[in-house]
Amino acid sequence: MKCLRWRSNRHRFYMFFACASLFLLCKHYSSPNEKIDEEDEYLNAVDEHEKEKKVECEPPGAVESKCTVDNGKAMRCWKDEEEVYFPTSYLKKRFDMTGKLGKDGSTFELYTSYAKMRTPESTYEPLGPFGHFATYSVETRDRVRCISAKTSYVPMSTQWDPTPYYYPIQIAQYGLQHYSRIKIDSNSNKTEDKREVLVGVKSNEWKGAAGMHETTERLFFNDEEKGKVVNISAGYALANAGAYVYLDKSPDLHVVSFDWKPYDGNASFTVLAKMKQDDLLVLINYVFSEGNGKCVWQEEERSYDDDTIVQKPKKDGQVSYSYSYTGSSQYGEWSNVTRDILVDVSRALSSGDNRKKDDNVILHPGDIRLVSLGFRGQLTVRQQINQRVEQHSHAFRSAADWMIQNQDKKGGWAVPVERSIADRKLVLEPGWHSAMAQGHGISVLTRAYKHFKDTKYLLSAMKALELFKTNSSEGGVRAEFFGNVWYEEYPTTPGSFVLNGFLYSLIGLYDLSKLEVPVAEIDENIRMKIKEAQQLYSAGIRSLKQLLPLYDTGSGTIYDLRHVALGTAPNLARWDYHAVHVYLLKWISGIENDEFLSKTADRWIGYAYGKRAKHN
């Protein structure tokens, strides 16, 4: 058991931290960590046989004693002539402490907050990187089931439903992540991320299956639109290698891009990758299939009578997965395919009906190398397979295009699954809108308008303003709290008033309000919408200054204000959400040059380092 030394002499309080480090470290080596339920407030009863179950770390020179805490609950403790030692398993939970072993392996670091408090490095620029989103990895979040291989090439989520669906906030964050990397790479003049190679240009690079029942025809010719192409006719079964080309072995070239023209739904393509750690061969198939609602699944093996279906094991050092593919064009028309195989392999290995959070596989550049790219069925492929390091521009455009293609008549991006809050006291039926999604969407679209120089993104951003003027009860995201307007991340009735979603929505409104449109493109409607964004943003800032103190607990922050309407206990923000509050507040205080907002953020930073508001 890990132990903590509590010094009765208040003037030597610093000894508390020194002893805490010592005994937490002892616990680290003597027994496994137990998961603490954040909502569990009771203490376990004393187990008289506890000594026999686990190794304990007793303070040197101290004797075991009995203590009572919190209204007489029994707890084991130790004492010597002037000290009393309490288990840190109690104090960690009671005072929300955390800690970890330092990099040197000999120092235990004790923290109030497990999350790092970050602040913006510079003043916010509406067309610049979106905060520290460049460090995000939306693709590898445990609730992101895959990057869709259908028409959209954006994340599919299992956030609140086991069947993968398109969650607008995640899609927007995916786009902002890759846009931020574009801007940071351009500012730093990076060259290593721009490296690429072409394969399949020469006809002799294309191979055909050599099996008795795997005949493959390849016809090479010049296409008026695409230049050198290869027409392929091969068996469509996944067991057939088809026509294939070997890929470059460089481990950093994990993005594959090519143009193809499939003639029917039997066409497919497969990338073969090899894992560095165990030499496992991973087949990633892209097939015209809905996959029974799945976006990626492990291939099944049928017996000869087709009565028995079993999941293929990792046999002979090989495993096979398939992605549901639709394509962005009709059969018989050219379309581009761009896939980050590193991400696709990690999402495939993380898939499974009974998967847990710990099953989430995260791969890094160098963990795999690509082996080959093969095609089956009736199709034509351009003889120019591009391999490169990254796909930031493609990912950003995919997110922005998804926003345009999926914007509804109200100007919003509806969430297609139910969201329940506070033990189902508040429930949003499928089709609800979110102010955070609206704000993020505007942030994506204003940047896409400037980056790709296409007015369609600006028009979509302008449409997104409508829901900010529509009440939550009428399908919008607008609510009021004591006469102060609020933009709801979860537009429940009564309102929940989530802080971080509201702050993100203000950033989106600010982005549009500061957008500079060339004289040749601007008209009265655009001027009116930009002014409208400014008015919505200003109203939100006034509400923020009025209501912000309600989110301050004196030792942390509150996630939302659901307790006001529901009469429940406050929903305290976890430290990672507290860190988001701090960052966003610093962002906005910099935009507004507002001392009150800045000082509030500074105070909240102090809470993360153990500072508390004074008692009366």
Side-chain angles (χ1 to χ4, degrees), residues 374-585:
F375 297 88
R376 303 175 203 85
Q378 308 294 318
L379 58 116
T380 302
V381 184
R382 186 184 183 192
Q383 285 182 247
Q384 187 169 304
I385 311 299
N386 186 299
Q387 274 183 262
R388 55 179 183 266
V389 176
E390 51 82 12
Q391 55 138 5
H392 300 323
S393 183
H394 177 267
F396 175 52
R397 185 188 286 274
S398 295
D401 286 347
W402 185 93
M403 292 289 168
I404 290 178
Q405 295 160 7
N406 293 273
Q407 192 172 31
D408 59 29
K409 294 180 180 179
K410 296 180 179 180
W413 298 280
V415 181
V417 299
E418 179 189 272
R419 173 73 167 117
S420 63
I421 300 172
D423 298 324
R424 299 192 65 81
K425 293 182 178 69
L426 301 173
V427 177
L428 292 167
E429 298 297 331
W432 53 278
H433 296 94
S434 169
M436 183 169 171
Q438 297 302 112
H440 271 352
I442 292 172
S443 293
V444 169
L445 293 165
T446 52
R447 286 164 169 80
Y449 163 65
K450 283 294 187 178
H451 188 76
F452 298 117
K453 296 178 174 56
D454 194 327
T455 310
K456 67 180 182 181
Y457 299 112
L458 171 59
L459 298 177
S460 181
M462 288 159 45
K463 292 178 185 177
L465 295 177
E466 197 61 33
L467 285 175
F468 285 98
K469 302 180 292 181
T470 307
N471 291 333
S472 297
S473 58
E474 300 171 354
V477 299
R478 186 184 185 278
E480 286 191 4
F481 192 89
F482 295 128
N484 296 282
V485 67
W486 195 267
Y487 309 127
E488 290 273 46
E489 179 178 354
Y490 304 119
T492 55
T493 303
S496 50
F497 305 99
V498 176
L499 180 57
N500 82 90
F502 175 70
L503 297 175
Y504 274 126
S505 73
L506 293 183
I507 294 295
L509 292 170
Y510 179 76
D511 287 344
L512 182 53
S513 73
K514 293 298 180 181
L515 191 65
E516 295 182 359
V517 180
V519 175
E521 297 178 13
I522 200 166
D523 58 26
E524 188 58 34
N525 183 51
I526 293 175
R527 287 193 185 92
M528 182 182 69
K529 289 297 181 181
I530 290 177
K531 184 178 181 180
E532 193 173 275
Q534 174 63 53
Q535 292 170 341
L536 291 167
Y537 169 77
S538 297
I541 290 295
R542 288 193 295 271
S543 296
L544 177 64
K545 294 177 181 180
Q546 288 292 320
L547 301 178
L548 191 60
L550 299 181
Y551 293 86
D552 193 325
T553 69
S555 59
T557 51
I558 295 177
Y559 178 78
D560 58 27
L561 300 181
R562 68 178 72 174
H563 59 288
V564 176
L566 298 179
T568 60
N571 185 29
L572 301 181
R574 300 195 311 260
W575 284 116
D576 47 354
Y577 274 105
H578 181 82
V580 173
H581 292 165
V582 166
Y583 193 95
L584 290 172
L585 206 53

Side-chain angles (χ1 to χ4, degrees), residues 230-233 260-263 267-268 375-381:
V230 52
N231 191 76
I232 295 170
S233 178
W260 78 326
K261 184 196 295 185
Y263 293 106
S268 65
F375 297 88
R376 303 175 203 85
Q378 308 294 318
L379 58 116
T380 302
V381 184

Side-chain angles (χ1 to χ4, degrees), residues 21 25 29 100-109 111:
S21 301
L25 182 58
Y29 286 107
K100 67 177 182 178
L101 195 64
K103 293 182 179 180
D104 61 3
S106 62
T107 304
F108 194 90
E109 301 171 350
Y111 300 101

Side-chain angles (χ1 to χ4, degrees), residues 74-93:
M75 175 175 290
R76 303 179 75 185
C77 61
W78 292 261
K79 67 178 181 179
D80 56 22
E81 293 182 358
E82 57 180 26
E83 314 292 345
V84 177
Y85 302 85
F86 280 94
T88 53
S89 56
Y90 162 69
L91 291 171
K92 178 180 178 181
K93 178 179 175 182

Side-chain angles (χ1 to χ4, degrees), residues 145 150 156 158 162-165 289-297 324:
R145 178 71 348 262
K150 297 183 179 182
M156 297 193 74
T158 54
T163 301
Y165 63 93
S289 169
E290 290 301 322
N292 293 323
K294 299 179 181 179
C295 59
V296 58
W297 62 92
S324 175

Side-chain angles (χ1 to χ4, degrees), residues 31-49:
S31 65
N33 292 328
E34 297 180 1
K35 185 178 179 181
I36 303 296
D37 188 340
E38 293 178 354
E39 298 180 357
D40 181 12
E41 294 296 337
Y42 67 87
L43 294 174
N44 292 328
V46 174
D47 188 342
E48 296 297 333
H49 301 287

